[in-house]
Amino acid sequence: MYGNSTNQSVFLLPQLKADCDVSSDRPGEWNLQPSKAFNDVATSLEYQAPGAVKTISSVPTMWAYPLTLEMVLYDSNHSLRPQMIEQWQGMLAAIALAEMRGFPLKAKLVELGDPQLKGEGFARSLFDLLPDYRGRNLYTLENKHPWQDVYVFLWDKKPVGMTSPSTLVVPSLEGNWETLPWWNPEQKRLQAPQNHLNKEEQALLWGWLKNLTQKLNEHNGDSNALNIMKGLIGNFQGTLQQNPDLTLSLSKDPQFFGEIINRGALFALNYPVQAPERPSSVKVIPSREKVGNQKPDLLIYDPDMARVWNKNPQNIWLHEGKTLASLKPEEFAEFKKRWQREVILLEKNELFLPELYFIELEDGLPGGFLPPSESSDRLYFNNLPVTPLLPLNSILLDYLSPQDLINRLKFQMLRTEAGIRVRLTLDLPLSGVDLEQTSQSYRLYKDYELKAENSLGNQLPILQVWPDFSAEGWQEYYGFYYDAELEDATFQVSFPTARYSNQFEQGLGKYQIAKLDEFPESINCFTVNHELIGLILLKNPRTVQLRSKWHIGVDFGTSFTNVYVSSQDRPEPLKLENLQRQITDSNRETLLNVLVENFIPTDFIPKQKPLPLSSVLTTRPNESNGKIYTQKKMRPILDG
């Protein structure tokens, strides 16, 4: 028996009806019963729900635990009250912050009056044993028992709780909230959430609870029940920090939990807190030279970032109110597509190419830009030094200058259980979570195997850029490529910022001449199948000052060309010097010949008096091979 506040004694176990269907040959012992036993119990009890007592806790019914929680929450002196209030608060907090934290919480409506369920023995027993709601209902339903429609909450598709018309929510006994921060796996119960929430989350939860109280006032429930529940919510609010400057926004997804929760006052549970918009913590901070390039922000997504930075994932903001906690890896593709017009969202692995290609020469790219390295960090293949192509996504150069990027890279040779590996480390400047800092470094890396099939050998194509200087207002630059008839044994290239590029073939050789408005920052390297295999970064050229203007005259003779310049009305031969940037360590004899025939010579003979020189105007590529040249008849002369 149980004594309530009026010292009234009541039976906790009701009597059986005289004509009951329940029997047991071993009273007081657990024994196996058929599934219809639930229905037998439901129809055999001399039981009129809680009735006037309203505190029954030991009735053998499927509703026992929700009624136990009801009894505890409505009795201020109950010994289980502190523990069960913690669990009740924990479930409310999980619902409130489900969208903000990205919790895998869904709800499923169960209508016990549904004719389809009445044919199920368990559901029929639940319906027959519906608790009496009189005196403790927070809301009523038209032509329905309020316990008749309940929502079952699922965490990772496993039931963890339900709704109740007397307590709003009921966490399951030992329900598994596996990844919820305030779930205690040892005690298998929810705990108070306050210590697991930051100041902002506490303030937003406070506002959500205030909204819940307001919604309770809008429903026709029992006044005593409403006062008790609003008191419990107020006590919960009293344990949370407030922030009057923080505006509460609720989810804009009416079916965030999978379906609309719309029975009575439960409708207030349907809209969890919407995360407020915050500056992204994972935005790449551009180099000074790249500021104002009108590119969308580049955001880096890495689920491991919270551990690396030692920050709570809910404090690492991504975009549009999403945090590292609320955007799950399985949702990445969806949000990457959803945000593509606003930002560029990349996973960390998308910044690296899948394979590392290399040149079997110690300095195969004399005109390129490689990370500084100690002798211990040099790369070796078959015990010989090699030069790598940078296996990076070229999008990084939209945000980082070559100098800045190269200073953030490092190659290392590692001995692992799988053998020798090359680790490429990239320290990215991200916006970070510390508002007092302008950026926060984030280290990424990828390990590569030096494979024989990724070797580019030691015979290289010819790759040049002219002129190797920069000056204010100078916008005439050219790139030249010749595959040295190496065909599949070498790589192809493209100049990403070329105004136009003309590719042509002569014999077995492939050529390319590109026109650019500025000295290129990088060159993309491809296989013959147009698969990107790496980047060549280029150092900034030397800067020169243009101090005067010259008049220039060119005499294209049938065999020789003369070039004269006039400054202050004194004509004199143009002083020729090598202004080329030689990118690859290519065969010198091949280099000299092909540049004289197709591009710009590197050596002028004799040096002291090179003019006149063999005609610089050629018909290669001819009009049939060069679309650009067909359209612009003057292009060969201007380019020459």
Side-chain angles (χ1 to χ4, degrees):
M1 298 201 305
Y2 176 82
N4 63 12
S5 58
T6 60
N7 295 321
Q8 176 186 6
S9 296
V10 296
F11 287 104
L12 295 179
L13 296 175
Q15 298 179 2
L16 294 174
K17 295 178 181 178
D19 57 346
C20 73
D21 298 322
V22 178
S23 64
S24 174
D25 56 353
R26 298 190 302 275
E29 296 182 18
W30 292 105
N31 56 80
L32 189 64
Q33 295 282 346
S35 60
K36 75 181 190 70
F38 289 113
N39 193 61
D40 291 343
V41 171
T43 57
S44 298
L45 292 175
E46 190 69 60
Y47 168 58
Q48 297 185 1
V53 179
K54 309 185 187 71
T55 53
I56 293 177
S57 61
S58 299
V59 174
T61 169
M62 290 80 89
W63 299 105
Y65 193 71
L67 292 175
T68 299
L69 179 66
E70 174 189 304
M71 177 180 64
V72 171
L73 294 188
Y74 281 71
D75 182 354
S76 60
N77 297 316
H78 201 288
S79 60
L80 292 177
R81 185 178 174 84
Q83 173 182 312
M84 298 196 77
I85 281 182
E86 278 194 3
Q87 297 182 58
W88 179 77
Q89 291 179 351
M91 184 168 178
L92 282 178
I95 293 172
L97 302 176
E99 181 174 304
M100 188 172 182
R101 284 282 196 110
F103 293 150
L105 192 61
K106 298 297 177 184
K108 183 69 176 177
L109 174 63
V110 179
E111 297 181 90
L112 295 175
D114 187 337
Q116 292 183 349
L117 285 181
K118 284 190 174 181
E120 299 290 336
F122 187 75
R124 187 170 63 252
S125 299
L126 283 171
F127 184 80
D128 290 342
L129 288 172
L130 286 174
D132 184 7
Y133 62 88
R134 289 166 294 178
R136 292 210 170 156
N137 59 298
L138 301 172
Y139 59 88
T140 57
L141 299 179
E142 187 175 355
N143 301 322
K144 273 188 177 182
H145 192 299
W147 284 89
Q148 189 173 319
D149 289 358
V150 297
Y151 292 88
V152 176
F153 280 94
L154 306 152
W155 184 275
D156 273 336
K157 301 180 181 179
K158 298 176 184 178
V160 290
M162 59 176 279
T163 58
S164 161
S166 60
T167 62
L168 293 173
V169 295
V170 182
S172 298
L173 188 64
E174 297 188 1
N176 190 357
W177 301 74
E178 189 173 6
T179 54
L180 185 69
W182 46 95
W183 163 251
N184 188 320
E186 295 179 357
Q187 299 179 3
K188 295 188 181 300
R189 68 179 182 88
L190 293 170
Q191 295 180 318
Q194 291 87 337
N195 292 336
H196 301 273
L197 306 178
N198 59 33
K199 294 179 180 179
E200 183 177 68
E201 288 173 321
Q202 290 200 30
L204 291 171
L205 177 56
W206 188 95
W208 186 86
L209 292 170
K210 179 182 178 181
N211 179 71
L212 179 60
T213 300
Q214 293 171 345
K215 295 301 180 184
L216 284 174
N217 291 328
E218 298 175 4
H219 293 272
N220 184 26
D222 178 77
S223 59
N224 181 58
L226 287 170
N227 288 335
I228 290 175
M229 199 53 51
K230 287 188 289 186
L232 288 169
I233 294 172
N235 291 339
F236 190 7
Q237 287 180 285
T239 65
L240 301 169
Q241 296 192 44
Q242 300 182 46
N243 184 352
D245 298 327
L246 195 61
T247 302
L248 174 69
S249 296
L250 299 178
S251 174
K252 293 181 172 59
D253 183 357
Q255 291 184 283
F256 174 81
F257 294 109
E259 58 180 275
I260 299 177
I261 301 174
N262 59 6
R263 297 303 193 264
L266 300 178
F267 189 57
L269 306 178
N270 190 63
Y271 293 94
V273 172
Q274 182 185 45
E277 189 73 31
R278 287 288 183 274
S280 178
S281 308
V282 299
K283 181 180 72 172
V284 174
I285 301 299
S287 303
R288 179 170 48 86
E289 300 92 326
K290 300 292 183 175
V291 173
N293 64 2
Q294 298 183 341
K295 297 286 184 180
D297 288 344
L298 175 61
L299 310 183
I300 306 303
Y301 175 75
D302 181 7
D304 204 34
M305 193 174 288
R307 181 193 62 80
V308 174
W309 275 348
N310 193 28
K311 299 291 183 180
N312 292 325
Q314 67 269 24
N315 293 340
I316 300 176
W317 295 87
L318 301 178
H319 182 63
E320 283 190 344
K322 279 287 184 181
T323 66
L324 197 62
S326 62
L327 197 153
K328 304 301 181 185
E330 61 270 19
E331 300 175 322
F332 173 80
E334 174 192 346
F335 282 92
K336 179 178 181 177
K337 184 177 181 181
R338 182 185 299 184
W339 295 338
Q340 62 185 353
R341 294 186 178 181
E342 304 162 27
V343 296
I344 297 173
L345 181 67
L346 295 182
E347 287 185 293
K348 64 175 182 179
N349 288 335
E350 293 183 271
L351 296 176
F352 299 95
L353 298 183
E355 299 286 340
L356 175 62
Y357 285 76
F358 57 94
I359 299 163
E360 293 191 46
L361 293 171
E362 183 173 7
D363 188 16
L365 300 171
F369 212 178
L370 288 173
S373 63
E374 304 295 333
S375 58
S376 59
D377 293 331
R378 290 175 183 166
L379 306 188
Y380 289 84
F381 179 71
N382 291 337
N383 296 321
L384 295 175
V386 299
T387 302
L389 299 182
L390 293 179
L392 294 173
N393 189 331
S394 60
I395 196 173
L396 287 168
L397 289 166
D398 288 337
Y399 303 89
L400 302 175
S401 68
Q403 180 70 59
D404 197 2
L405 179 56
I406 211 71
N407 289 338
R408 296 178 176 277
L409 294 173
K410 183 179 181 181
F411 281 107
Q412 290 176 282
M413 296 287 288
L414 302 175
R415 293 186 181 275
T416 69
E417 294 180 356
I420 301 297
R421 293 291 184 268
V422 174
R423 173 168 293 180
L424 177 59
T425 302
L426 168 62
D427 289 321
L428 271 183
L430 301 184
S431 44
V433 296
D434 189 348
L435 298 180
E436 296 180 358
Q437 296 181 354
T438 56
S439 67
Q440 189 167 354
S441 180
Y442 189 68
R443 174 162 290 187
L444 304 170
Y445 67 86
K446 184 175 177 65
D447 293 343
Y448 293 94
E449 180 183 358
L450 287 178
K451 301 177 181 178
E453 58 266 32
N454 291 342
S455 170
L456 298 168
N458 56 17
Q459 300 295 313
L460 298 179
I462 292 169
L463 187 56
Q464 308 283 121
V465 176
W466 180 94
D468 190 10
F469 70 80
S470 67
E472 184 178 356
W474 186 273
Q475 295 181 319
E476 296 288 329
Y477 293 93
Y478 292 86
F480 177 79
Y481 168 84
Y482 169 53
D483 72 350
E485 300 185 7
L486 295 171
E487 299 180 315
D488 296 353
T490 192
F491 56 89
Q492 310 293 312
V493 304
S494 71
F495 296 86
T497 57
R499 182 191 296 178
Y500 68 79
S501 179
N502 186 46
Q503 301 181 35
F504 58 96
E505 297 182 14
Q506 290 184 149
L508 298 177
K510 293 182 179 178
Y511 298 77
Q512 181 180 164
I513 297 177
K515 169 70 173 66
L516 306 99
D517 292 336
E518 58 186 4
F519 194 91
E521 293 183 331
S522 67
I523 298 171
N524 294 340
C525 302
F526 297 87
T527 65
V528 291
N529 297 322
H530 303 288
E531 175 190 0
L532 181 65
I533 59 173
L535 307 179
I536 300 174
L537 298 186
L538 304 182
K539 296 179 183 178
N540 290 333
R542 62 189 175 94
T543 301
V544 300
Q545 299 294 327
L546 303 181
R547 295 187 176 88
S548 60
K549 293 183 179 180
W550 291 353
H551 294 283
I552 187 167
V554 182
D555 173 23
F556 293 109
T558 56
S559 301
F560 295 94
T561 297
N562 271 292
V563 183
Y564 275 72
V565 295
S566 175
S567 176
Q568 299 178 349
D569 297 327
R570 289 182 305 194
E572 56 184 14
L574 177 65
K575 295 179 181 179
L576 299 177
E577 59 179 294
N578 181 10
L579 293 177
Q580 294 214 45
R581 170 81 65 87
Q582 181 180 342
I583 309 300
T584 53
D585 183 9
S586 48
N587 181 276
R588 179 163 177 77
E589 184 178 350
T590 303
L591 173 70
L592 295 176
N593 290 334
V594 77
L595 293 182
V596 167
E597 293 290 330
N598 296 278
F599 195 52
I600 300 167
T602 55
D603 292 348
F604 302 98
I605 303 174
K607 284 187 177 181
Q608 293 75 17
K609 193 176 181 182
L611 293 172
L613 57 105
S614 295
S615 180
V616 298
L617 182 59
T618 75
T619 59
R620 292 193 296 266
N622 61 41
E623 292 187 359
S624 63
N625 290 331
K627 183 177 179 182
I628 290 292
Y629 292 79
T630 302
Q631 295 175 343
K632 300 179 179 179
K633 302 293 186 181
M634 291 295 291
R635 195 77 260 169
I637 297 175
L638 294 176
D639 288 350

